[in-house]
Amino acid sequence: MGPVNTTRSGGPAGANLGAVRSHNGALVLGLLRDAGAEGISRLELAERTGLTPQAVSKITARLREEGLAAEAGRRASTGGKPRTVLRLVPEAGHAVGVHLDRDELRVVLADLDGAVVGERRTALDLGAGARAVLDAVCGAVGELVAERPVGPAAGDGGLAGGGSLLGVGVALPGPLDHARGVLHRVTGFPEWDGFPLRGALAERLGVPVVVDKDTNAAALGLAVGNEEGAAAGSFAYLHLGTGLGAGLVIGGHVHRGARTGAGEFGHQVIQLDGPLCECGNRGCVEVLCLRAAARGEVAEAARVLGVAAGNLVGLLDIDVVLLGGRTVADAPEVYVRGVGEVLAARARREGTRTGGVPVRVAPRGERAVAEGAAQLLLAPLFGRGET
């Protein structure tokens, strides 16, 4: 089974019955997932979706036939016979999430609930060339899938197995073209400019592949998981690892921009004639942060990050700032305190009555990007994300 397309055409209602059916199915499937093991009745599904009971019955029958839903028992009703409740079958489908970092490869296998059921992690040199990197990714994905019966349907080719693999989501440093799955000049690795990563991996693996920036993937995972701190209508996920970037969620949706280039947060210049950054500019927040951290001046790195975060908060008026990445993980309290102090001071200067924007460590730790990459396939299935 492939990922469900939930993109709306914007045309008149009823103009595309296939898309409407997919959209309605995604709504129902999303409510089944939210209900958890306790399940939800068809009547409740109809009330929450606004669909007719007949439409819900057809959709749930199809989901049960496909093995995505199952009975979860019966529940007493206010009158008449007890209602049958349905639940999601998490093991009915899986997605692979790949975090392709500059020096490391992390691959996770997630079920329909987003729970990680397998993981691989290994050192990797992103500058080793396309063939070596693709071999490493395909090898790790193949090993992970081979451990569980989650391959594509028989006859599809590619990965072996007997279950339902929705596909592979790949997250890596930008900039890149998310819509086409083509890389641009990844900072520090200009040789990847123009490489069609999505197409190359899809051909090798034989399953659908989605490519996005590491920060966008993490932000998506945090948003659809309704994680603490990410339940707000808008938040910024700042990822400080081997580089620095931002994932922006505005109005509950990942903001990628018209050319899918939003979130190149690390390359805003905050020190004219500062140190040379690998992007070619001088005084970028990325080079200033990473150099301070490398010198052991973590408080200074946090202060610099706070200044840049303040620019972002002032520009977008976001609700929460979430911090992640391996560099933050080395001293999370210092970064939260340092960024928070800068934002609080900015709020006092501006006379903001509610105080500074909250700053928290993002949930899921260093696995946030890989888990978010899996959500690039899972979220659209539940009508929670657009790819």
Side-chain angles (χ1 to χ4, degrees):
M1 148 176 201
V4 175
N5 179 5
T6 62
T7 303
R8 298 166 178 77
S9 65
N16 186 338
L17 295 180
V20 170
R21 184 176 65 181
S22 296
H23 172 59
N24 291 342
L27 289 178
V28 171
L29 203 58
L31 289 173
L32 288 173
R33 184 175 68 170
D34 293 344
E38 293 184 0
I40 185 172
S41 70
R42 293 178 179 83
L43 180 59
E44 290 173 301
L45 289 170
E47 291 173 346
R48 297 188 188 184
T49 60
L51 299 172
T52 65
Q54 293 81 3
V56 168
S57 293
K58 289 181 180 179
I59 292 170
T60 54
R62 176 165 54 86
L63 294 176
R64 291 185 65 184
E65 288 175 4
E66 295 175 353
L68 295 171
E71 287 192 7
R74 293 179 179 275
R75 183 181 302 163
S77 65
T78 55
K81 63 181 181 180
R83 298 173 185 167
T84 300
V85 293
L86 302 172
R87 65 172 178 85
L88 177 72
V89 180
E91 62 274 18
H94 295 79
V96 173
V98 176
H99 181 189
L100 191 57
D101 209 344
R102 293 173 174 87
D103 60 359
E104 181 181 84
L105 172 66
R106 187 190 295 263
V107 183
V108 301
L109 182 68
D111 66 17
L112 293 181
D113 263 336
V116 173
V117 297
E119 183 175 7
R120 284 283 189 282
R121 182 182 179 187
T122 184
L124 177 77
D125 179 8
L126 192 58
R131 175 171 294 183
V133 171
L134 291 180
D135 286 346
V137 172
C138 292
V141 171
E143 290 176 5
L144 199 56
V145 170
E147 293 179 352
R148 304 177 70 91
V150 297
D156 284 352
L159 298 174
S164 180
L165 182 65
L166 301 177
V168 176
V170 182
L172 72 161
L176 54 81
D177 185 336
H178 160 75
R180 296 170 54 232
V182 175
L183 306 188
H184 293 324
R185 296 179 66 86
V186 178
T187 304
F189 300 90
E191 64 270 22
W192 283 99
D193 188 20
F195 186 80
L197 182 61
R198 183 180 68 189
L201 281 175
E203 182 177 358
R204 291 270 306 259
L205 295 172
V207 295
V209 174
V210 180
V211 173
D212 206 344
K213 289 195 297 189
D214 47 12
T215 49
N216 286 345
L220 173 65
L222 295 170
V224 301
N226 199 30
E227 298 286 0
E228 181 183 1
S234 64
F235 68 88
Y237 169 75
L238 307 184
H239 185 93
L240 181 60
T242 58
L244 174 61
L248 305 175
V249 172
I250 300 175
H253 300 282
V254 176
H255 177 70
R256 296 187 176 94
R259 289 164 293 280
T260 73
E264 288 301 311
F265 172 81
H267 299 295
Q268 54 176 305
V269 175
I270 63 173
Q271 181 182 331
L272 295 178
D273 300 322
L276 182 66
C277 181
E278 289 185 336
C279 74
N281 289 329
R282 288 186 174 275
C284 290
V285 60
E286 177 176 298
V287 67
L288 294 172
C289 268
L290 291 178
R291 286 194 177 188
R295 294 193 303 266
E297 299 174 2
V298 182
E300 173 63 12
R303 187 186 68 83
V304 172
L305 183 59
V307 171
N311 292 340
L312 186 60
V313 169
L315 183 65
L316 298 178
D317 194 21
I318 57 176
D319 298 319
V320 181
V321 171
L322 299 176
L323 306 179
R326 71 173 75 163
T327 302
V328 168
D330 289 338
E333 297 85 0
V334 178
Y335 281 99
V336 169
R337 183 171 60 251
V339 174
E341 287 175 352
V342 174
L343 295 185
R346 180 188 182 105
R348 287 194 297 271
R349 290 194 304 271
E350 295 174 347
T352 305
R353 294 182 179 179
T354 55
V357 171
V359 180
R360 303 187 181 101
V361 174
R364 301 185 182 275
E366 293 185 43
R367 211 162 64 180
V369 173
E371 291 190 40
Q375 287 293 344
L376 293 171
L377 276 300
L378 294 174
L381 186 68
F382 300 94
R384 301 295 173 83
E386 297 178 357
T387 60

